[in-house]
Amino acid sequence: MNAVRKQRLILVLLLLAGVGVAVALMLFALRENINHYFSPAQMAAGEAPAGQRMRGGGLVVPGSVERDTKSLKVSFRITDGAGEVTVHYEGILPDLFVEGSGVVALGTLGDDGVFAATEVLAKHDENYMPPEVQKAIDEAHPGYTRPAVQTTAQSELRSLQDGS
Amino acid sequence: MYFDSWSGFLVMEGHGLYVWSAYTMALAVIAYNLIAPFMARRRILAQLAAQVRRQERLVQRKVIVNEVTTSRGDNNENRSANPENTQLKHRPGRQEEGSESVERSAQ
Amino acid sequence: MNWTFFHKLGSPKWFYDISGKWLPWLQVSSLVLILVALAWGLAFTPPDYLQGNSYRIIFIHVPASFLAQSIYMMMATAAAVTLIWRIKLADMALKVMAPVGASFCILSLVTGAIWGQPTWGTWWVWDARLTSMLILLFLYIGIIALRGAIHTTEAAAKACAILSLVGVVNIPIIKFSVDWWNTLHQGATLKLTEKPSMAPEMLWPLLLAILGFYLFFTMVMVLRLRIEIISRERKTRWVKELVS
């Protein structure tokens, strides 16, 4: 490689490094306020501002889901292991909304500590397997909650703790 | 085959619309990527053919001009010795430029 | 180090001659692979225990997303070669890859939206993975538009190369977005260092589909590059001999 090309190579590398550093700084600055994300524990402790639109996420507490028989109104509690918050929602829930699995809700926290969601999204994990395999795992470990959901729960909790 | 029937395959337990529209979209993208190069190829080849034809016409005209000047017989030698004077002779000049760029590209 | 092989590789005529021999193999193998993989994924794999049949979109979504990112990486490499060595073929490659990459980026975004509706409950969220992928599409469109806006080949080559290089920072952001932020999008299923978190009867068609899509991209790129070579080298003797 001759001197001119070497010089150009250095220029290209400098350009890349410069842009990389600029973007990294920008992302670092954005990281704090990009998502307005609050965990159930923060909501329960009153750390989240009431009346402001925010995202909240956690695992649906098993047995807490109450569906209105006449309308699409539904109420459930979400937890991150450290605190719980009640969510009210009216609308169609996604297919993957299951007790014990992770959800992300968008809405506002009322003064009464109830999270009024306008949108409920279900989170799923990166595991894919046929139903028979799932059944076999269930049979091999009776009384054991679905492992995939449990890994969802664990990774969800981890990501909640990281994110908060 | 996982599905029992054709209708079961199409409906996919309620997810048929989602799955089939995604696969249709994939088919569209694959088709675009196959068709676009062939269209471009046709266009470029037509352009190049037109260019070659134009050049051949120019060469023929030049031959005629040369014949006319030869029959007139006025300072014929001077012309052939100094071909760049003829306006119509700029084509071969381009050809030289072309072969030069072959060498440059191979460097 | 001896760089002559590198420059020989950059000779348009050499590439044109050798790629003509690869083309039929690439065409047959890529189309057969895609056909087998997608038929396998659509009809012969079991459904997912949680998502049911909607997960079959993975056999398109994942290969398309991989390609959209890999093509951009290749474009950035071609951009560096263009800027440093001024090899014409690298700029041609940069030019012809952009529309192909954009088409797979669109495929990835659209199939993702179609998949998101039944599973997450929404077509779109402004989550880090989805947003960074959208930025990738804008980068592709920007590079194509920039090329169209500048009429001198040399200047266009330089401008597009710089834009491609600058945009490459988006690639690690896409890759790690699911780890760095709280995204609705789940983590990676296929990992280089760990065992994939997918049952083997679903994994095989997916890997086959990925291989098929990559071969298809190679084939399309060779096709487009050959046309671009003829178009740009139209004044050379070998192209004139070729078309007449």
Side-chain angles (χ1 to χ4, degrees):
Chain A
M1 228 191 316
N2 67 28
V4 184
R5 283 177 188 143
K6 206 168 251 167
Q7 207 176 357
R8 287 193 210 132
L9 177 69
I10 292 165
L11 259 170
V12 165
L13 291 178
L14 278 178
L15 175 83
L16 263 184
V19 174
V21 168
V23 171
L25 284 173
M26 206 170 74
L27 288 176
F28 188 73
L30 276 176
R31 204 188 160 121
E32 299 304 312
N33 47 19
I34 198 170
N35 46 28
H36 295 290
Y37 187 93
F38 291 95
S39 68
Q42 283 175 306
M43 290 190 197
E47 285 170 38
Q52 197 191 308
R53 238 181 115 68
M54 64 175 96
R55 294 205 301 154
L59 306 172
V60 180
V61 177
S64 73
V65 182
E66 290 166 23
R67 287 169 202 265
D68 193 280
T69 44
K70 290 184 207 77
S71 65
L72 286 169
K73 278 188 186 140
V74 63
S75 131
F76 54 88
R77 288 203 308 279
I78 55 174
T79 178
D80 63 348
E84 279 186 21
V85 69
T86 306
V87 179
H88 284 176
Y89 174 67
E90 185 171 2
I92 299 162
L93 288 166
D95 289 3
L96 296 193
F97 180 91
V98 195
E99 292 184 1
S101 73
V103 293
V104 175
L106 258 103
T108 49
L109 187 64
D111 293 325
D112 52 352
V114 172
F115 190 83
T118 53
E119 198 173 13
V120 172
L121 306 173
K123 200 178 148 105
H124 66 88
D125 62 8
E126 64 273 24
N127 296 303
Y128 299 90
M129 60 177 109
E132 304 86 70
V133 175
Q134 184 56 45
K135 226 173 97 194
I137 294 172
D138 281 348
E139 277 162 10
H141 305 271
Y144 188 68
T145 46
R146 296 199 298 186
V149 173
Q150 210 176 46
T151 47
T152 321
Q154 281 158 357
S155 67
E156 184 72 9
L157 277 179
R158 231 182 302 121
S159 75
L160 287 173
Q161 279 149 12
D162 292 345
S164 57
Chain B
M1 177 117 171
Y2 168 73
F3 298 96
D4 303 327
S5 62
W6 274 108
S7 61
F9 183 48
L10 288 176
V11 174
M12 293 212 167
E13 289 151 23
H15 287 137
L17 195 63
Y18 299 112
V19 174
W20 287 110
S21 54
Y23 276 73
T24 311
M25 181 72 197
L27 195 71
V29 168
I30 288 173
Y32 157 76
N33 278 307
L34 282 177
I35 292 164
F38 281 104
M39 302 277 278
R41 188 184 170 83
R42 266 227 320 251
R43 203 177 53 236
I44 296 287
L45 286 182
Q47 271 177 23
L48 289 185
Q51 184 189 319
V52 168
R53 273 200 305 276
R54 212 166 40 237
Q55 223 168 314
E56 276 166 3
R57 263 205 308 278
L58 278 170
V59 169
Q60 273 172 0
R61 274 228 307 269
K62 192 180 70 196
V63 170
I64 293 164
V65 170
N66 278 350
E67 276 167 5
V68 170
T69 47
T70 318
S71 64
R72 253 203 252 148
D74 57 349
N75 53 6
N76 189 11
E77 280 162 69
N78 194 6
R79 258 178 211 281
S80 51
N82 208 351
E84 299 310 316
N85 287 344
T86 330
Q87 205 189 359
L88 287 167
K89 284 232 173 164
H90 72 275
R91 275 284 155 182
R94 277 225 200 147
Q95 234 155 9
E96 277 160 32
E97 187 188 293
S99 57
E100 209 175 89
S101 83
V102 175
E103 282 151 27
R104 226 188 304 147
S105 65
Q107 271 169 17
Chain C
M1 190 173 167
N2 185 4
W3 290 85
T4 46
F5 84 97
F6 195 68
H7 294 283
K8 190 185 161 212
L9 205 73
S11 151
K13 184 182 185 315
W14 179 84
F15 181 84
Y16 193 92
D17 291 341
I18 193 123
S19 64
K21 290 176 199 127
W22 305 339
L23 213 44
W25 296 99
L26 281 171
Q27 277 165 329
V28 171
S29 62
S30 66
L31 291 176
V32 165
L33 260 181
I34 289 179
L35 213 66
V36 169
L38 293 192
W40 189 350
L42 257 179
F44 297 94
T45 56
D48 182 54
Y49 74 103
L50 201 59
Q51 302 183 31
N53 285 307
S54 64
Y55 98 102
R56 293 182 198 277
I57 296 172
I58 203 174
F59 301 111
I60 291 170
H61 180 73
V62 167
S65 312
F66 274 25
L67 254 190
Q69 293 172 67
S70 308
I71 293 175
Y72 198 92
M73 287 297 290
M74 289 181 230
M75 278 170 62
T77 313
V81 172
T82 305
L83 286 177
I84 298 164
W85 286 277
R86 302 277 147 90
I87 289 176
K88 272 197 273 179
L89 194 65
D91 178 53
M92 295 186 201
L94 180 59
K95 183 185 174 187
V96 301
M97 275 192 274
V100 187
S103 71
F104 282 104
C105 197
I106 292 171
L107 182 60
S108 158
L109 285 166
V110 172
T111 53
I114 295 172
W115 195 3
Q117 177 59 26
T119 46
W120 298 340
T122 182
W123 301 102
W124 183 264
V125 277
W126 290 102
D127 117 327
R129 170 58 72 85
L130 278 68
T131 309
S132 54
M133 205 64 193
L134 189 66
I135 291 172
L136 182 68
L137 178 62
F138 290 156
L139 279 169
Y140 275 126
I141 293 172
I143 292 165
I144 296 169
L146 191 63
R147 174 91 53 185
I150 305 174
H151 293 293
T152 16
T153 316
E154 290 272 302
K158 207 166 174 180
C160 289
I162 290 172
L163 179 58
S164 312
L165 265 179
V166 169
V168 83
V169 288
N170 190 37
I171 297 294
I173 295 177
I174 297 175
K175 169 123 180 44
F176 295 110
S177 56
V178 287
D179 304 326
W180 291 346
W181 290 281
N182 237 307
T183 54
L184 191 60
H185 196 287
Q186 72 283 2
T189 295
L190 304 174
K191 281 153 290 202
L192 277 179
T193 46
E194 289 166 52
K195 240 179 79 184
S197 44
M198 197 177 197
E201 58 264 57
M202 300 164 163
L203 185 65
W204 280 111
L206 180 60
L207 294 177
L208 219 59
I210 292 170
L211 183 66
F213 270 61
Y214 271 87
L215 280 174
F216 180 76
F217 158 71
T218 314
M219 185 264 280
V220 172
M221 188 182 135
V222 166
L223 268 179
R224 282 180 178 258
L225 206 46
R226 286 164 66 86
I227 298 159
E228 184 68 19
I229 287 171
I230 291 186
S231 171
R232 274 204 213 177
E233 306 282 286
R234 60 177 68 188
K235 296 208 178 105
T236 61
R237 201 172 294 140
W238 72 271
V239 171
K240 279 180 180 159
E241 278 162 13
L242 196 79
V243 289
S244 56

